[in-house]
Amino acid sequence: MRGSKSLLFMCALLSSSAFAEVYRLEEIVTTATREEEKITDIPVRVDAVPKDEIELDRPNHIKDDLNSLPGVLVTQVAASLGHATAIRLPINYGPYYLFLQDGIPVQSSGFFNHNGLWWTSWESSPGGFEVLKGVGTALYGSDAIGAVINVKSEEPSPKLERKLQLEGGQWGYFRVKGGVSDTPDEKNAYLVRASYSQTDGWRDKTEYKRGEILLKHYYILDESSSLETSLLANKMDAQMAGYLDYETFKTDPQQSGLPEDLTDPYRKVDMIRLATKYRNEISDSTELKLIPYIRFNRNRYVATWTRTYPERDSKTYTFGMLNQAVWKYSIGKTIFGLDLEITKAKSHYWQSRPTEIIWGNVYPQGDIYKYDVNFYNIAPYVHNSFRFGRLDITLGLRADFARYEYDNKLSDGAFGVWYRPADRNDEFKHISPKAGLLYSINKNNSVFFRYAHGFRIPQASRLYELKTDYQEVSLDPEKADSFEVGYTGRINRFLLTLSGYYMEIRDKIVTVDVGSVRYNTNAGKTRHKGVEIGGTWLASKELKVRGSFSYSKHEYVRFNTGDTDYSGKEMSMAPRTLSNLRLFYTPSFQDNITLEFEYQHVGSYYMDDANTKKYGGYDIYNVRGELRLNKNIKLFAKVWNITDKIYAETANIAYGRERYRPGMPRTVYAGVDVVW
């Protein structure tokens, strides 16, 4: 039976342990087309964190592994599990990234949350991290401009396997995770993973508790078709610290930066998603893939970055389908796709604190915004790959149709400084072409050129949450054009990737002041260019070296607020250089020990768009190690920031003051893994 044998082989291959093979080169990725592909065979840069490194790192924050990839910077915000991302863009909080769990979006594009990776299985079941850099392929629509980040869960084991991990650390940190997996017969395989973590936080107001569970079941329907069903749920109850001024940042970074009467700066996050992947090999040349899913996201918080500390409760209820038909023929393959998503969103924004007057503006106590939005998105696409000898040509085209139906639940018009638009509908349409060329020098070395056009629609919050001096205007999607050249090659035990990119984003949504009137409009244009280098060297059975370096420049081509013209200035929070170096050592005389040394560099950057002041960046060092007592038990330890350097995860100037988010000081973790 073709399907049964495929299931058993897949489970055996993907669940192979790092104990049997300490070091590997990661050369197979799936994010570009949802098909397994060698990185030397695709004209797009997809970087992946090797699974053996994830198993050794046991990340305490998703940035711990992602930041090892070329040109990737994920910063920790509010000192909990939140994050802001910088991939081919400055550090930002905008909807320029698409976050996936096993190839399925974790949030709707019209309701982007920059912390969205906390809705993945990175803690309970980190099977792999892949980053498609730059504008996405035809499979991806709105928000896939800077990168597509795909968190892949583990696969079922070929035989019964149970896991348990206990971990403790400073600042009251504790984590327990584990599960069971098996392939009991030729038709069934399953995986259960769960985790719970908590910490008191190294800063005031940074404690959190987080739970996560993942259930996966594979079922072979017949020799040509199968089902993969997954249920993912997670919940976090946390507090969020604020920014610090420079003096406090340098002398007392453990302070929360919040007023004493703000006793509960909470952040509460919930997510549950049920998905089924149906695959049918209709013939040797044709395959059908259908992925229906339902998802619930909830995000509640106190806006600690806003001076009146308003609160928000947002919920989204989503049904979606990702549909693909793959047709393979003598010179290539064609993927026909259709993505569908329907989201019901509810948002409530209010101020509990007494009314305040700031710079002459009234911030009243009470309900600020309360509205529902029905969101619809339909997107047909086609992705073609043709091979002519050593030359591969890739052509893609995607059409997105999005619609918002906005229903205000409060009175229309002004409420203090805030303004509530009347009920209305907004529609957006966009066509996104893609093209790529790849030349195979030999089976292990290739060069490529790629052009991709991407976009992002205006967010619901940008459309329907205004202020009294804002004029209502219609907005268009932001548009991105990206050009990239690259080399991917493997020579014996050395893997090298090189990329150079140039991207312009036009029709940037900016806020403009004209006299006493302010409004959001498509008036900005930015330029982004850089080079990225990544390398992995399996020097010997004892030593593995993996490193990355990137240089980039991000600047405003056109950005005039009416009061200030930033055209020609560098964008704030845009470090020009990033680098990471990892050394892994397993001594031959004691091959049950593996040690890891990591160096991370973040270069200097301007703290404001006027380029008046720079933050100097930072260099930190981390060490990790594990001792394998036998095939069932491992002991491990980690030390983050071994030099105890005081550094800022982010530093910027806003509202006339410098704001620093301090990074974690030296922190020690230790634990035990048991497998039986």
Side-chain angles (χ1 to χ4, degrees):
M1 294 175 65
R2 179 173 55 186
S4 300
K5 291 180 180 178
S6 298
L7 174 62
L8 293 170
F9 174 76
M10 175 187 64
C11 294
L13 176 67
L14 293 175
S15 64
S16 59
S17 71
F19 184 81
E21 184 182 5
V22 178
Y23 302 136
R24 294 193 289 266
L25 290 174
E26 197 73 19
E27 296 182 275
I28 303 296
V29 294
T30 61
T31 302
T33 63
R34 299 193 193 105
E35 300 260 303
E36 288 193 352
E37 297 171 304
K38 288 183 62 178
I39 59 175
T40 51
D41 293 343
I42 52 176
V44 60
R45 177 62 65 219
V46 181
D47 287 329
V49 181
K51 191 172 186 294
D52 59 294
E53 293 187 27
I54 299 172
E55 293 173 349
L56 179 62
D57 293 346
R58 300 169 178 88
N60 302 100
H61 190 285
I62 197 166
K63 71 184 180 73
D64 296 353
D65 278 312
L66 285 175
N67 286 348
S68 67
L69 299 176
V72 175
L73 177 62
V74 177
T75 66
Q76 187 172 2
V77 299
S80 62
L81 295 177
H83 63 89
T85 307
I87 304 174
R88 299 194 175 179
L89 292 167
I91 301 169
N92 72 93
Y93 308 95
Y96 298 100
Y97 306 99
L98 188 58
F99 301 140
L100 311 177
Q101 166 73 51
D102 293 322
I104 305 172
V106 299
Q107 58 188 351
S108 295
S109 57
F111 307 89
F112 177 84
N113 186 320
H114 65 83
N115 303 296
L117 289 171
W118 62 23
W119 282 321
T120 67
S121 71
W122 72 270
E123 195 164 23
S124 67
S125 183
F129 302 127
E130 292 183 3
V131 179
L132 188 163
K133 310 249 212 82
V135 176
T137 60
L139 277 70
Y140 305 113
S142 181
D143 304 352
I145 292 179
V148 177
I149 301 179
N150 187 17
V151 177
K152 301 168 69 175
S153 60
E154 299 169 283
E155 298 294 340
S157 59
K159 60 182 181 179
L160 181 61
E161 180 183 74
R162 308 171 190 88
K163 289 185 176 182
L164 177 66
Q165 181 188 111
L166 298 174
E167 182 178 355
Q170 289 177 266
W171 326 113
Y173 182 84
F174 171 75
R175 179 166 67 185
V176 57
K177 56 188 289 188
V180 61
S181 180
D182 192 13
T183 304
D185 55 50
E186 291 188 344
K187 282 186 170 288
N188 292 275
Y190 69 87
L191 177 138
V192 179
R193 291 287 185 264
S195 66
Y196 172 80
S197 60
Q198 67 178 44
T199 180
D200 297 332
W202 74 273
R203 290 179 66 194
D204 295 338
K205 307 297 185 184
T206 59
E207 59 264 33
Y208 72 81
K209 298 177 181 178
R210 184 177 187 271
E212 183 178 296
I213 186 168
L214 173 71
L215 310 176
K216 295 177 71 173
H217 179 256
Y218 289 74
Y219 180 67
I220 301 299
L221 295 169
D222 53 44
E223 65 178 10
S224 61
S225 59
S226 64
L227 290 173
E228 175 191 339
T229 301
S230 63
L231 177 67
L232 172 65
N234 48 59
K235 182 180 183 66
M236 185 180 74
D237 190 343
Q239 293 200 323
M240 297 191 299
Y243 296 97
L244 301 180
D245 60 41
Y246 181 76
E247 186 62 29
T248 307
F249 161 66
K250 296 299 290 186
T251 60
D252 190 12
Q254 289 184 303
Q255 281 197 27
S256 70
L258 301 174
E260 292 184 1
D261 62 343
L262 185 60
T263 58
D264 186 20
Y266 63 86
R267 168 82 77 164
K268 299 181 180 182
V269 178
D270 306 273
M271 184 267 206
I272 185 168
R273 191 191 73 191
L274 176 66
T276 294
K277 298 181 180 180
Y278 170 75
R279 302 173 67 111
N280 187 349
E281 298 177 18
I282 299 172
S283 67
D284 290 339
S285 62
T286 308
E287 183 177 14
L288 179 66
K289 302 177 184 179
L290 306 176
I291 309 176
Y293 60 91
I294 55 175
R295 184 184 64 230
F296 170 72
N297 302 69
R298 189 177 187 185
N299 188 18
R300 292 168 284 172
Y301 60 83
V302 176
T304 57
W305 53 90
T306 302
R307 292 181 62 177
T308 57
Y309 305 105
E311 301 171 59
R312 183 184 293 276
D313 184 359
S314 61
K315 306 173 188 175
T316 58
Y317 306 81
T318 299
F319 168 76
M321 282 199 71
L322 307 177
N323 308 290
Q324 276 188 342
V326 183
W327 176 37
K328 299 179 181 179
Y329 38 89
S330 59
I331 63 169
K333 68 179 178 181
T334 296
I335 300 174
F336 297 100
L338 179 64
D339 294 348
L340 305 169
E341 188 167 282
I342 302 172
T343 292
K344 174 75 171 182
K346 295 178 175 290
S347 187
H348 184 197
Y349 195 52
W350 71 96
Q351 181 174 313
S352 297
R353 296 166 72 87
T355 298
E356 293 188 42
I357 299 176
I358 301 174
W359 295 338
N361 295 313
V362 178
Y363 292 79
Q365 185 180 47
D367 290 332
I368 299 171
Y369 306 113
K370 189 174 185 180
Y371 59 86
D372 293 350
V373 175
N374 292 328
F375 175 74
Y376 307 91
N377 193 83
I378 180 171
Y381 64 87
V382 60
H383 176 94
N384 297 285
S385 298
F386 308 104
R387 166 152 285 201
F388 303 97
R390 295 186 177 185
L391 180 66
D392 282 57
I393 301 175
T394 299
L395 299 173
L397 188 67
R398 181 184 178 96
D400 278 85
F401 304 89
R403 177 182 173 89
Y404 293 102
E405 295 177 351
Y406 161 72
D407 179 14
N408 179 27
K409 299 298 184 181
L410 301 173
S411 59
D412 299 339
F415 179 68
V417 72
W418 314 105
Y419 183 83
R420 308 165 185 144
D423 298 351
R424 72 169 195 256
N425 300 330
D426 291 279
E427 294 184 352
F428 302 94
K429 303 173 184 178
H430 200 76
I431 304 294
S432 304
K434 328 276 182 175
L437 296 174
L438 181 138
Y439 180 77
S440 298
I441 301 170
N442 53 46
K443 67 177 182 179
N444 291 320
N445 294 268
S446 63
V447 292
F448 71 85
F449 166 80
R450 180 173 187 251
Y451 163 77
H453 176 83
F455 73 103
R456 67 102 168 170
I457 61 174
Q459 297 294 287
S461 59
R462 178 73 81 158
L463 293 169
Y464 310 124
E465 298 182 9
L466 305 179
K467 291 187 176 180
T468 53
D469 57 352
Y470 277 42
Q471 179 177 319
E472 290 189 63
V473 297
S474 61
L475 294 174
D476 295 321
E478 293 188 11
K479 306 168 186 68
D481 291 289
S482 175
F483 301 85
E484 182 176 3
V485 294
Y487 163 81
T488 306
R490 178 177 179 177
I491 303 174
N492 297 323
R493 300 170 67 85
F494 184 71
L495 179 66
L496 177 65
T497 62
L498 303 172
S499 295
Y501 66 89
Y502 177 94
M503 179 170 66
E504 286 191 350
I505 303 177
R506 64 184 189 277
D507 293 334
K508 291 275 290 184
I509 299 173
V510 298
T511 301
V512 174
D513 297 276
V514 180
S516 60
V517 176
R518 306 182 76 196
Y519 57 94
N520 296 321
T521 187
N522 299 95
K525 183 177 181 180
T526 58
R527 179 183 297 125
H528 313 267
K529 53 189 176 181
V531 294
E532 299 164 347
I533 305 171
T536 303
W537 180 35
L538 303 187
S540 67
K541 292 183 178 180
E542 297 181 315
L543 181 65
K544 169 184 170 180
V545 181
R546 187 163 72 88
S548 66
F549 172 81
S550 66
Y551 177 88
S552 61
K553 188 175 182 181
H554 309 278
E555 57 189 347
Y556 291 107
V557 178
R558 182 178 65 252
F559 180 28
N560 191 330
T561 67
D563 292 332
T564 307
D565 187 358
Y566 296 106
S567 303
K569 300 286 189 180
E570 285 197 44
M571 300 176 73
S572 61
M573 296 203 296
R576 286 199 179 187
T577 56
L578 300 173
S579 59
N580 186 279
L581 178 65
R582 291 181 161 202
L583 305 177
F584 303 86
Y585 180 58
T586 301
S588 58
F589 58 86
Q590 194 73 43
D591 62 4
N592 64 333
I593 294 176
T594 299
L595 302 174
E596 175 189 352
F597 169 83
E598 180 183 32
Y599 161 70
Q600 183 183 358
H601 163 79
V602 175
S604 62
Y605 55 82
Y606 285 109
M607 297 173 62
D608 61 346
D609 291 331
N611 297 174
T612 62
K613 186 171 183 177
K614 274 191 171 183
Y615 173 63
Y618 58 87
D619 300 272
I620 56 174
Y621 306 86
N622 312 308
V623 294
R624 305 174 179 94
E626 74 174 19
L627 169 64
R628 297 175 285 277
L629 299 179
N630 52 50
K631 67 178 183 179
N632 301 109
I633 302 175
K634 301 176 185 177
L635 304 179
F636 63 89
K638 301 174 281 187
V639 183
W640 175 268
N641 188 7
I642 58 177
T643 63
D644 203 23
K645 182 179 180 64
I646 296 176
Y647 70 99
E649 288 275 357
T650 64
N652 72 329
I653 297 174
Y655 306 108
R657 62 190 181 102
E658 296 181 17
R659 310 191 306 179
Y660 296 84
R661 276 197 173 113
M664 185 177 289
R666 180 170 52 234
T667 302
V668 179
Y669 304 92
V672 58
D673 272 337
V674 182
V675 179
W676 73 100

